[in-house]
Amino acid sequence: MAENSCREIVELGEHEIIRIIRSRLTLPKMPVPFGDDVSAVELDGTRVAVLKTDMLVGKTDVPEQMSVYQAARKAIVMNVSDFASKGVQPTAALVALGLPGMFAQKDIEAIAEGLNNGAREYGAYVIGGDTSETSDLIISISLFGCAEKSMLMLRSGAKPDDILAVTGPFGKPPAGLRLMYGDFTAPKDAKELVDSVLLPKARLAEGVALGKSGAVSASMDSSDGLAWSIHEIGRLSNVGFALNLVPIAEEAAQFAKINDLDAEELALYGGEEYEIVLTVKPEKWTAAEEAVAAAGGKLIPIGKATEEKKVVLVSNRKKRTLDARGWEHFKSQL
Amino acid sequence: MAENSCREIVELGEHEIIRIIRSRLTLPKMPVPFGDDVSAVELDGTRVAVLKTDMLVGKTDVPEQMSVYQAARKAIVMNVSDFASKGVQPTAALVALGLPGMFAQKDIEAIAEGLNNGAREYGAYVIGGDTSETSDLIISISLFGCAEKSMLMLRSGAKPDDILAVTGPFGKPPAGLRLMYGDFTAPKDAKELVDSVLLPKARLAEGVALGKSGAVSASMDSSDGLAWSIHEIGRLSNVGFALNLVPIAEEAAQFAKINDLDAEELALYGGEEYEIVLTVKPEKWTAAEEAVAAAGGKLIPIGKATEEKKVVLVSNRKKRTLDARGWEHFKSQL
């Protein structure tokens, strides 16, 4: 592909930007491939150090209704969710904080409390960091944990006939975001939808339990949307998927109905979701289901992996191919 | 101290902001105290994982003359310098990148090359990260490495009569910054001064060699200035210092002379310095000196630790007390 080096990043989109960066990097042998939800470094023959960094940006990640406390907590949860999708318990977080000059002491106190509570909620500690002055609020988190290499759940590894599953229904955060940013009618459960954005929860207990079960063949977080995650697991595992169900949260279905929206679209292509999308070896389904139940969650089967490398949805006796669209930084704002 | 929660952060300064954050955190038992140059997590009885995150911000850390390649490389070097001051070899870096929408593909390529070359220069690899859209360029680096806990050089630990030393002379970056931002006369060596800002070098080989020598009782980076680092080691070690020499780079002295500035001030209170400030047990001075020489550097003794908890400079038969001023984010821009 001939590269046009004058393209601006709003045209490129996040995935293409990451491809460009990767093409310029000297990569060592790595226990987790570049571009997976986390990175890792070998510690000894069996253990790895797991690392993740992701940045919360005021302008794009903090709706007006979100407090600075909630923003700080969200910055932690975003990163914990990636650890959850790999089955890894985070132990320590560092924060690089960019603060606008007009922030007051009480904002800093609220940020520190949001960081601390977010980390403690998931068994980790904030142990260090640095501050800078920035024009917009920036909360860049680095998360650390150790794991047995053999227990890591990677994006690749799904085989035909593996069961496709999710740790919960989709659609609440995209419905909540629409309520916050757009002109939509609020259903009775509006608070539930809005809270899914303001106070997101990572599926860490479920992810760690799944990692230990040894039943999972591939796994990914869903921050770019359900359809995107399914396509990505398919692409990296060299399989396709046949879905028989789009897992839609009841409150999201209600929101879609009263606003004349397609609930399946909302659940498939919405962003900011915090569920784990995974595949389970068929003979180990019960083990996976029990592991998640013991962690207080519920594993929902939604289809299976296929030889044919397409993602199709069979519902109401109709069959349609699902696009590899997803929510993307830069591009999604065009 | 009664806290006024309405103070804005420009009044607070970086050190006070970090104190406020720390007061809200639940801290675990840590092998490296909160607020040291790096953070660490125990891996087993003897080894620790070492972590650091610091963010480069376009507006405050990237002079107009600095290319995006140089900015990306600097973001890595800033963090490597902190590892150097603890004697730890970094192995992996992650980057959380905030890109302004008008950046072009060639800028992203240059950033990726700057990150890669910066990391490779110091034996590390960039193994992952994430991108976001921001109004200003933000390059937030997380650095990782492993170390023997007993070899870490902390900020505390200096004892009276320990020799105070630095890994090189001071003053070039503050002179270079003045040339870039202000109306000053450039000396013949102007390129050397400007390059100390555009292409900084971390004393990693020296730091790792010092760590292995076992001769060091305390150590700190000098990014907030030489005087600040000396005061900080003193405060945390419960000692003072008597300096008999301010280590001034020849090019910086020349710059000060032709611009009618005080060269000692420049070297003591300038920021963005990348030398290590350390104390050495007197009986191990030769070992420390030889370790640094073998790493290609030079250890310069500049004074010694004292019982009296002041930092005094004795030069030209005059004795004066040095303030604990330093270059500080937020406050220094007032």
Side-chain angles (χ1 to χ4, degrees):
Chain A
M1 187 176 79
E3 286 180 358
N4 174 354
S5 69
C6 287
R7 285 184 297 172
E8 289 194 355
I9 63 171
V10 284
E11 284 176 67
L12 296 170
E14 190 175 10
H15 301 299
E16 176 65 4
I17 290 172
I18 289 172
R19 194 198 61 76
I20 293 168
I21 293 173
R22 178 192 183 144
S23 73
R24 259 63 186 180
L25 297 179
T26 311
L27 292 174
K29 195 169 160 289
M30 299 189 293
V32 172
F34 188 93
D36 207 306
D37 299 278
V38 302
S39 303
V41 177
E42 300 257 5
L43 288 175
D44 49 41
T46 61
R47 285 206 310 164
V48 291
V50 178
L51 304 161
K52 169 77 196 176
T53 188
D54 201 0
M55 165 191 289
L56 174 134
V57 178
K59 191 178 65 171
T60 50
D61 301 323
V62 184
E64 212 177 287
Q65 296 89 332
M66 185 179 274
S67 68
V68 286
Y69 171 91
Q70 290 169 335
R73 184 187 162 281
K74 177 185 172 183
I76 295 276
V77 176
M78 279 162 48
N79 284 279
V80 170
S81 182
D82 285 300
F83 266 54
S85 74
K86 305 296 104 176
V88 180
Q89 172 65 46
T91 53
L94 268 67
V95 55
L97 200 54
L99 298 167
M102 82 295 185
F103 264 43
Q105 180 167 340
K106 67 173 169 34
D107 297 316
I108 302 180
E109 290 164 359
I111 288 172
E113 284 162 15
L115 293 170
N116 189 65
N117 292 358
R120 295 307 303 133
E121 208 176 315
Y122 296 100
Y125 291 93
V126 177
I127 63 165
D130 251 302
T131 65
S132 303
E133 190 184 346
T134 45
S135 48
D136 193 10
L137 173 66
I138 307 279
I139 307 179
S140 180
I141 301 291
S142 316
L143 211 55
F144 169 84
C146 286
E148 290 297 317
K149 192 169 133 186
S150 61
M151 283 190 185
L152 285 176
M153 307 188 291
L154 304 185
R155 289 186 180 181
S156 58
K159 298 264 181 298
D161 293 328
D162 282 357
I163 299 167
L164 180 64
V166 292
T167 50
F170 283 69
K172 286 200 278 185
L177 285 167
R178 277 168 181 74
L179 277 176
M180 288 178 183
Y181 285 112
D183 188 17
F184 293 91
T185 306
K188 258 195 299 185
D189 294 321
K191 190 176 181 303
E192 179 90 13
L193 299 176
V194 169
D195 278 356
S196 75
V197 176
L198 299 182
L199 292 165
K201 294 207 180 336
R203 295 289 189 185
L204 184 64
E206 292 87 338
V208 169
L210 283 165
K212 283 184 185 154
S213 76
V216 174
S217 52
S219 175
M220 182 175 165
D221 89 309
S222 57
S223 53
D224 293 337
L226 175 58
W228 180 265
S229 300
I230 296 172
H231 271 282
E232 196 64 5
I233 291 177
R235 187 177 70 81
L236 293 167
S237 304
N238 210 23
V239 296
F241 287 100
L243 275 74
N244 52 37
L245 171 74
V246 177
I248 306 170
E250 212 176 293
E251 300 88 342
Q254 187 64 16
F255 169 83
K257 198 175 166 191
I258 62 174
N259 285 287
D260 203 20
L261 294 172
D262 184 332
E264 282 190 352
E265 279 286 306
L266 204 63
L268 285 166
Y269 298 109
E272 303 238 348
E273 300 274 8
Y274 291 86
E275 301 296 341
I276 306 173
V277 182
L278 64 148
T279 57
V280 178
K281 300 163 197 165
E283 72 278 12
K284 298 205 171 158
W285 174 258
T286 309
E289 209 173 24
E290 286 174 1
V292 173
K298 188 173 178 349
L299 201 58
I300 308 170
I302 62 168
K304 63 173 198 165
T306 56
E307 298 267 5
E308 195 191 20
K309 285 165 204 72
K310 273 185 184 171
V311 177
V312 295
L313 169 64
V314 188
S315 71
N316 300 327
R317 290 187 209 149
K318 276 182 282 188
K319 188 171 166 176
R320 66 175 176 119
T321 304
L322 299 182
D323 303 342
R325 277 184 289 131
W327 189 87
E328 221 182 329
H329 273 298
F330 304 107
K331 265 197 170 167
S332 296
Q333 289 155 47
L334 269 179
Chain B
M1 187 176 80
E3 285 180 358
N4 174 354
S5 69
C6 287
R7 284 184 297 174
E8 289 195 354
I9 62 171
V10 285
E11 284 175 68
L12 296 170
E14 189 175 10
H15 300 299
E16 176 64 6
I17 290 172
I18 289 172
R19 194 198 61 76
I20 293 168
I21 293 173
R22 178 191 183 145
S23 74
R24 259 64 186 181
L25 297 179
T26 312
L27 292 174
K29 196 171 160 287
M30 300 189 292
V32 172
F34 189 91
D36 207 306
D37 299 277
V38 302
S39 303
V41 176
E42 300 258 5
L43 288 174
D44 49 40
T46 60
R47 285 205 310 164
V48 292
V50 178
L51 303 161
K52 169 76 196 177
T53 189
D54 201 0
M55 165 191 291
L56 174 135
V57 179
K59 193 177 64 168
T60 49
D61 300 322
V62 184
E64 213 178 285
Q65 296 89 331
M66 186 180 274
S67 67
V68 286
Y69 171 91
Q70 289 169 336
R73 182 186 165 283
K74 177 185 172 181
I76 295 276
V77 176
M78 278 161 50
N79 284 279
V80 170
S81 182
D82 285 302
F83 266 54
S85 74
K86 303 297 105 174
V88 181
Q89 172 65 46
T91 53
L94 269 67
V95 55
L97 200 55
L99 297 167
M102 81 296 186
F103 264 42
Q105 180 167 342
K106 66 174 169 37
D107 297 317
I108 301 175
E109 291 164 358
I111 288 171
E113 284 162 16
L115 293 170
N116 190 65
N117 292 359
R120 295 306 304 132
E121 207 175 316
Y122 295 100
Y125 292 93
V126 177
I127 64 165
D130 253 300
T131 64
S132 304
E133 190 183 346
T134 44
S135 49
D136 193 10
L137 173 67
I138 306 280
I139 307 179
S140 180
I141 301 292
S142 317
L143 210 56
F144 169 84
C146 286
E148 290 298 316
K149 192 168 131 188
S150 61
M151 283 190 186
L152 285 176
M153 306 188 291
L154 303 184
R155 288 186 180 182
S156 59
K159 299 264 180 298
D161 293 328
D162 282 358
I163 298 166
L164 180 65
V166 291
T167 51
F170 284 69
K172 286 200 277 184
L177 285 166
R178 278 169 179 74
L179 277 175
M180 288 178 182
Y181 285 113
D183 188 18
F184 293 91
T185 306
K188 257 196 298 183
D189 295 321
K191 190 176 180 304
E192 179 90 13
L193 299 175
V194 169
D195 279 356
S196 75
V197 176
L198 300 181
L199 292 165
K201 294 207 181 337
R203 295 288 189 186
L204 184 64
E206 291 86 340
V208 169
L210 283 165
K212 284 183 185 155
S213 76
V216 175
S217 51
S219 174
M220 182 175 165
D221 89 310
S222 57
S223 54
D224 293 338
L226 175 58
W228 181 265
S229 300
I230 295 172
H231 272 281
E232 196 64 5
I233 291 176
R235 188 177 68 83
L236 293 167
S237 304
N238 210 23
V239 297
F241 287 100
L243 275 74
N244 51 38
L245 169 75
V246 177
I248 306 169
E250 212 176 295
E251 302 87 341
Q254 187 64 16
F255 169 84
K257 197 175 166 190
I258 63 174
N259 286 287
D260 203 20
L261 295 171
D262 184 331
E264 282 190 352
E265 278 287 305
L266 206 62
L268 285 165
Y269 298 108
E272 303 238 347
E273 300 273 8
Y274 291 85
E275 300 297 341
I276 306 173
V277 182
L278 64 149
T279 57
V280 177
K281 300 162 197 165
E283 72 279 12
K284 297 205 172 158
W285 173 259
T286 309
E289 207 174 25
E290 285 174 1
V292 172
K298 189 173 177 351
L299 201 59
I300 308 170
I302 62 169
K304 65 172 196 164
T306 56
E307 297 266 5
E308 196 192 18
K309 285 166 205 70
K310 273 185 184 172
V311 176
V312 294
L313 169 63
V314 188
S315 70
N316 300 326
R317 289 187 209 149
K318 276 181 286 186
K319 188 171 167 177
R320 65 175 176 120
T321 304
L322 299 182
D323 303 341
R325 277 184 289 131
W327 190 88
E328 222 183 326
H329 273 298
F330 305 107
K331 265 195 170 168
S332 297
Q333 289 154 46
L334 271 179

